[in-house]
Amino acid sequence: MAMTGTAPWRSPLRAPPPTPSRGYNSRPRGLVPAQCRPWPRPSLSSAAVACPRSEEMARLERGSLVVGGRELLERAPPSVALRRPAVVASPGGAAFLGATAPAPSSRHVFSLGTLASGWKWLSLFRFKIWWMIPTVGEDAAGVPAETQMLLLESRSEAGAALYALMLPVLDGGFRASLQGSPENELQFCFESGRFILDLLDSEVFELKRTANFGISVGISEEYSGGLFLGDPEVQTLEAVDAVFINSGDNPFKLMKESIKMLSKIKGTFSHIEDKEIPANLDWFGWCTWDAFYKSVNPVGIEEGLKSLCEGGAPPRFLIIDDGWQETVNGFKEVDEAFIEQTVFAERLIDLTENDKFRGETCKNLGDHVKKIKEHYGVKYVYIWHALHGYWGGVLTTPDAMKKYNPQLVYPVQSPGNVANLRDIAMDSLEKFGVGIIDPAMIYDFYNDQHSYLSSVGVDGVKVDVQNVMETLGKGFGGRVALTQKYQQALEESIARNFKGNNLICCMSHNTDSIFSSLKSAVARASEDFMPQEPTMQTLHIATVAFNSLLLGEIFIPDWDMFHSKHESAEFHGAARALSGGGVYVSDKPGVHDFSVLKKLVLPDGLILRAKHAGRPTRDCLFNDPVMDGKSLLKIWNLNKFSGVIGVFNCQGAGNWTYPVKENAHVPTTVCITGDLSPSDVELLEEISGDDWNGETAVFAFNSCSLSRLQKHQTMDVSLSTMTCEIYTIALIKVFGGFVQFAPFGLVNMYNSGGALENVTSTGDCSEITIQIQCRGPGRFGAYSATRPEICSVDEHEVEFKHTDDGFLAFDLSHGSSQDNLRNIEILYRAS
């Protein structure tokens, strides 16, 4: 569950104006005016070293920041400094940028200088408080407020690409973000807490004036006349390790190495490879949200599970979303408009289920969970709650809540959030307040709730509304400290009460949360799937793919639910198959398209999950796949024995402007031709082995066509708006010296190669048997330059089809083994 709204891909909003510093309410950390000078720090006293001078290392000299031998920033002010960490190896010249101010404050905006010519960039920025989206550009002025990742590319005259990565990070109790200025400067904002927003009238006008593309900044009337002030209890005059920079020739390797390095330096989060992965991700799921919204009830849940099971797509994973808790709306009914405003101000009054889950249909939540597991084969039941209990927090007066020492506080957003797109939930919370648990008691709150849920058979939780913590930091040590307190307590409670690290983080796209996730392994990658918003379907696919560049190094990105019976179902289904994350729908009971579901789900409920997070191919990183009218979106991933590329035409069906009725987008159909190459799949060396000569067999799912390509060869791809194609890239290898063979897997499934578990061979130069373990049932396909003598499945000979272009196919029937692994043998004899 989340809120709607998008923002422009290009021409994002400008950042708010820099803020003068006021007050001396904490001890300054010291001034270090010299550029490239070591920055002493108690926790990293041995980490600071002199700036390297070699071409591959980052260096800052006379206001010029050079990375990988190329100038990235020019005219950097004298207050900017560069520090290289020595605690870990830093290939590629990793370093931190920091700056000093003339006086302490809880919020600083520092200039880093102007962007040197020849660079283009990709920004992941928060277009509203909960969520990030991507945007691309070339000048620093276009970098939007609340940019949390900036990836840049520069090409030499010979065409060699250099990539630079800038990650604003957490530094003690402060959090950094990047933004551009009207003067074409790249800035970083450094802030500690919630804010008293108090703008001069002229500055309010400037913010509103720069809000283009139909976006309203949404500054309320009471915010006028003065300055932005942060939490006065958490101040500093210097940012030491605020912006991490690194460079390299491979953007995906650069991102992975950088996140791993940062996790070791900071110690506040972990790389995804160091986390326990929840087992439910390998099973098909169903979420109750779009099926019922807050009207979810036991009867409806059983009806949904039954209809999906009867249709051959049994959900083994269930999310009971918002609507099961005991909450209250304590505001008087003045009129309908007023009541609508209070929807997000409802508060939690008890930790147990509401009356809908107690009655004739089921005795209680435990009775319901037991029944659906026994009757419908559900393996994992997750249940929804907000990080702070419910949307409006907890009611402070009930006995069940008093033990947690709650208090009513009023959130205030940071200037960066206000500069982009406001959110209706935050508008409500700012007006009616949030009942927040005492941070000293938050572990007890989570432990009490989770121990109860675990005792009734619930296996995990989806925790929503997480970014609200950043608005509540005053009096609690600031936004970073409060977020980390809640996040640590949440992860400790999950570890104590649930097996398998069963947690989904949601509405958590601020770096406060991202860089405080030591154990959390799954996080939503975008705003909700919106079934009633036709112009948002292509935006969703583009957003989850681009956001996975950052999120996929720390979490398994959750690309969200979708409807199997929807005009965009094939589009969404194909994307989910490539996501590397969970696959689940939110269909209403009985409203399903099983022709779509059976391309994602095996009869036993398993899905064919790819190895990594699905991400845009390298040649798509700096294009706008939604609005430039010419670019296709290509998403790559890897399986155990093959690569996979999904190609999507997202042009013409939507735009990055928030959908307003009076300025509704008129969808158009655009046919676009692009190209595809096996080399679009990164990390093929992970699966290729030493005996691969670079040849591939490429199988197109929808057209059922087969092509043979060398690794760097290309083929044309033409798609019309809202259509897609999935290509399995199988590596052709020579077996026995005379058989050229490449298995595709189950060619009736979107991610065909995800079905392959093992490929070996026995024999010699006269006779060879290729042995394959493949999940089933389904249609097995492979490239075979030679027609085989015999194909057998589980020691039974089967009929097969072999065409002139080398396509080999035969059926895998339902197997007797519990895991539905089929043992295939394909026999060849030399002629």
Side-chain angles (χ1 to χ4, degrees):
M1 176 181 179
M3 301 301 97
T4 62
T6 58
W9 178 283
R10 297 186 185 275
S11 302
L13 303 182
R14 292 178 181 173
T19 62
S21 301
R22 282 186 178 180
Y24 288 80
N25 292 332
S26 67
R27 184 180 177 182
R29 288 196 283 179
L31 292 171
V32 185
Q35 293 174 332
C36 287
R37 180 177 174 181
W39 289 60
R41 243 185 147 179
S43 60
L44 288 175
S45 58
S46 62
V49 295
C51 294
R53 301 282 180 176
S54 59
E55 282 297 306
E56 70 275 11
M57 297 300 181
R59 64 183 188 274
L60 180 61
E61 295 176 333
R62 295 182 295 277
S64 173
L65 175 65
V66 177
V67 297
R70 300 182 198 176
E71 186 178 45
L72 176 62
L73 296 172
E74 53 191 13
R75 295 191 289 277
S79 59
V80 176
L82 180 143
R83 190 188 78 89
R84 287 185 52 78
V87 265
V88 293
S90 52
F96 288 99
L97 291 174
T100 58
S105 177
S106 54
R107 185 177 192 271
H108 298 279
V109 175
F110 295 107
S111 172
L112 291 171
T114 59
L115 189 63
S117 62
W119 293 89
K120 52 186 176 182
W121 50 258
L122 162 69
S123 160
L124 298 183
F125 75 104
R126 283 198 298 162
F127 77 107
K128 64 164 65 171
I129 186 172
W130 319 112
W131 306 112
M132 293 188 297
I133 61 170
T135 186
V136 294
E138 295 183 359
D139 62 332
V143 176
E146 283 296 311
T147 287
Q148 301 190 133
M149 185 207 81
L150 195 66
L151 180 67
L152 305 100
E153 181 192 65
S154 172
R155 290 192 174 268
S156 67
E157 292 183 1
L162 175 70
Y163 298 92
L165 177 64
M166 302 184 74
L167 289 174
V169 294
L170 307 183
D171 189 16
F174 283 72
R175 174 250 187 196
S177 61
L178 295 170
Q179 58 192 37
S181 77
E183 292 76 28
N184 207 32
E185 292 180 324
L186 184 63
Q187 303 172 334
F188 76 90
C189 173
F190 200 60
E191 56 193 0
S192 67
R194 70 175 189 156
F195 299 85
I196 303 166
L197 183 55
D198 210 13
L199 281 173
L200 294 170
D201 291 338
S202 61
E203 293 171 328
V204 174
F205 173 78
E206 173 63 17
L207 280 175
K208 289 185 176 180
R209 184 184 65 78
T210 57
N212 51 12
F213 285 85
I215 306 294
S216 171
V217 174
I219 298 175
S220 58
E221 292 179 359
E222 65 265 29
Y223 296 156
S224 61
L227 301 166
F228 285 120
L229 299 177
D231 188 342
E233 299 175 11
V234 186
Q235 297 195 1
T236 188
L237 55 72
E238 72 179 42
V240 180
D241 292 346
V243 180
F244 176 87
I245 57 171
N246 202 359
S247 62
D249 58 6
N250 183 317
F252 304 100
K253 183 179 178 182
L254 172 64
M255 182 65 69
K256 181 175 182 177
E257 288 180 349
S258 296
I259 292 297
K260 282 195 164 189
M261 198 184 310
L262 265 176
S263 70
K264 291 180 173 62
I265 294 170
K266 295 292 185 179
T268 59
F269 72 100
S270 303
H271 188 270
I272 184 59
E273 291 180 354
D274 299 320
K275 296 180 179 181
E276 181 180 7
I277 307 303
N280 68 278
L281 293 175
D282 292 319
W283 298 92
F284 175 59
W286 179 53
C287 177
T288 63
W289 179 241
D290 286 317
F292 308 106
Y293 298 112
K294 292 174 70 172
S295 298
V296 60
N297 61 83
V299 172
I301 290 173
E302 287 194 51
E303 290 174 349
L305 293 171
K306 181 180 180 182
S307 62
L308 284 165
C309 288
E310 290 177 348
R316 303 305 187 205
F317 165 50
L318 170 69
I319 300 176
I320 302 176
D321 214 295
D322 189 3
W324 70 275
Q325 291 170 291
E326 193 71 57
T327 63
V328 65
N329 186 331
F331 302 95
K332 295 180 179 179
E333 295 191 22
V334 179
D335 53 47
E336 291 184 5
F338 181 82
I339 289 300
E340 186 177 359
Q341 292 178 42
T342 68
V343 168
F344 297 101
E346 290 186 22
R347 300 194 174 113
L348 188 70
I349 59 174
D350 198 86
L351 298 181
T352 58
E353 65 273 20
N354 59 33
D355 289 344
K356 289 186 294 182
F357 290 82
R358 291 183 183 142
E360 296 181 3
T361 56
C362 64
K363 298 176 183 177
N364 49 46
L365 181 60
D367 179 55
H368 177 63
V369 170
K370 181 181 179 182
K371 182 177 180 181
I372 60 178
K373 285 185 175 182
E374 291 177 351
H375 288 201
Y376 303 104
V378 176
K379 295 176 178 288
Y380 305 95
V381 174
Y382 277 39
I383 208 158
W384 179 98
H385 69 77
L387 185 66
H388 54 307
Y390 199 66
W391 287 94
V394 304
L395 196 65
T396 59
T397 53
D399 291 339
M401 295 296 138
K402 283 182 179 179
K403 62 185 289 190
Y404 308 115
N405 194 27
Q407 61 177 292
L408 184 64
V409 297
Y410 289 84
V412 183
Q413 297 188 67
S414 75
N417 288 334
V418 176
N420 287 330
L421 186 65
R422 289 188 68 92
D423 179 79
I424 57 173
M426 281 308 306
D427 289 342
S428 174
L429 298 179
E430 287 177 350
K431 183 172 184 177
F432 299 105
V434 175
I436 184 175
I437 300 290
D438 183 344
M441 303 297 296
I442 188 59
Y443 173 76
D444 294 334
F445 174 76
Y446 289 146
N447 184 54
D448 289 348
Q449 184 170 43
H450 295 159
S451 62
Y452 170 70
L453 293 173
S454 178
S455 72
V456 299
V458 172
D459 302 285
V461 288
K462 171 185 173 183
V463 180
D464 220 336
V465 206
Q466 294 197 16
N467 283 5
V468 74
M469 288 296 115
E470 73 174 65
T471 69
L472 307 173
K474 185 181 179 183
F476 298 109
R479 59 185 287 174
V480 174
L482 183 62
T483 297
Q484 291 181 339
K485 183 73 173 178
Y486 268 64
Q487 184 71 21
Q488 180 182 2
L490 175 65
E491 292 183 344
E492 287 178 359
S493 178
I494 295 296
R496 177 173 180 173
N497 293 291
F498 301 116
K499 298 178 181 178
N501 199 20
N502 289 345
L503 167 66
I504 301 172
C505 296
C506 192
M507 301 177 78
S508 55
H509 282 192
N510 64 2
T511 47
D512 312 51
S513 296
I514 293 170
F515 292 139
S516 298
S517 297
L518 278 167
K519 297 179 181 178
S520 308
V522 180
R524 270 275 299 280
S526 77
E527 189 163 24
D528 286 16
F529 163 69
M530 302 288 183
Q532 307 303 321
E533 295 284 356
T535 63
M536 294 185 68
Q537 308 312 313
T538 55
L539 277 65
H540 187 106
I541 304 304
T543 297
V544 291
F546 277 86
N547 283 352
S548 292
L549 287 164
L550 173 60
L551 298 177
E553 298 297 342
I554 302 172
F555 308 98
I556 302 293
D558 177 347
W559 288 19
D560 200 23
M561 62 197 100
F562 70 104
H563 279 176
S564 71
K565 195 164 189 177
H566 192 271
E567 55 269 22
S568 64
E570 291 273 0
F571 209 68
H572 280 282
R576 299 310 188 278
L578 306 177
S579 72
V583 175
Y584 57 109
V585 295
S586 54
D587 295 352
K588 294 181 183 298
V591 184
H592 317 289
D593 186 340
F594 290 102
S595 68
V596 173
L597 292 177
K598 289 181 179 181
K599 298 170 189 175
L600 289 163
V601 189
L602 294 174
D604 60 0
L606 271 173
I607 64 168
L608 305 181
R609 191 165 68 88
K611 289 180 65 174
H612 303 293
R615 288 160 285 179
T617 59
R618 196 179 304 200
D619 58 344
C620 291
L621 291 176
F622 302 95
N623 298 333
D624 179 351
V626 172
M627 290 185 65
D628 72 8
K630 60 182 181 182
S631 299
L632 296 172
L633 172 63
K634 295 185 290 183
I635 301 172
W636 70 272
N637 214 320
L638 209 61
N639 295 302
K640 289 183 179 179
F641 297 96
S642 61
V644 60
I645 302 172
V647 187
F648 300 81
N649 185 345
C650 300
Q651 304 285 349
N655 58 41
W656 294 107
T657 304
Y658 183 75
V660 233
K661 290 182 180 178
E662 56 267 27
N663 188 26
H665 172 72
V666 179
T668 58
T669 298
V670 182
C671 186
I672 296 176
T673 298
D675 61 51
L676 173 140
S677 170
S679 61
D680 289 335
V681 179
E682 305 283 338
L683 306 177
L684 278 176
E685 64 275 8
E686 284 189 6
I687 62 171
S688 62
D690 297 331
D691 55 346
W692 180 52
N693 66 5
E695 280 200 284
T696 68
V698 180
F699 178 76
F701 177 82
N702 288 317
S703 64
C704 295
S705 60
L706 187 152
S707 305
R708 184 166 171 164
L709 295 176
Q710 279 287 340
K711 180 180 177 180
H712 293 287
Q713 280 185 293
T714 62
M715 59 185 289
D716 288 342
V717 179
S718 293
L719 294 170
S720 59
T721 296
M722 287 288 291
T723 62
C724 60
E725 181 62 280
I726 295 183
Y727 297 87
T728 296
I729 313 295
L731 312 185
I732 298 176
K733 294 194 175 183
V734 180
F735 294 83
F738 67 97
V739 176
Q740 297 179 46
F741 183 86
F744 295 126
L746 292 183
V747 294
N748 58 300
M749 305 291 283
Y750 286 130
N751 183 24
S752 306
L756 296 173
E757 290 295 325
N758 198 21
V759 180
T760 58
S761 66
T762 59
D764 53 32
C765 59
S766 62
E767 181 177 293
I768 193 78
T769 299
I770 299 175
Q771 300 161 324
I772 300 167
Q773 281 192 315
C774 183
R775 296 199 179 277
R779 182 77 169 167
F780 174 82
Y783 170 78
S784 177
T786 305
R787 181 182 178 86
E789 291 278 334
I790 298 172
C791 295
S792 63
V793 179
D794 294 335
E795 301 181 345
H796 297 286
E797 187 174 340
V798 295
E799 293 184 3
F800 63 88
K801 179 181 179 182
H802 185 261
T803 58
D804 292 340
D805 62 0
F807 185 63
L808 171 68
F810 48 85
D811 290 330
L812 305 181
S813 60
H814 286 268
S816 56
S817 64
Q818 188 174 359
D819 56 8
N820 264 322
L821 270 182
R822 317 308 306 279
N823 294 303
I824 298 170
E825 292 189 341
I826 305 173
L827 173 66
Y828 296 86
R829 293 190 177 97
S831 56

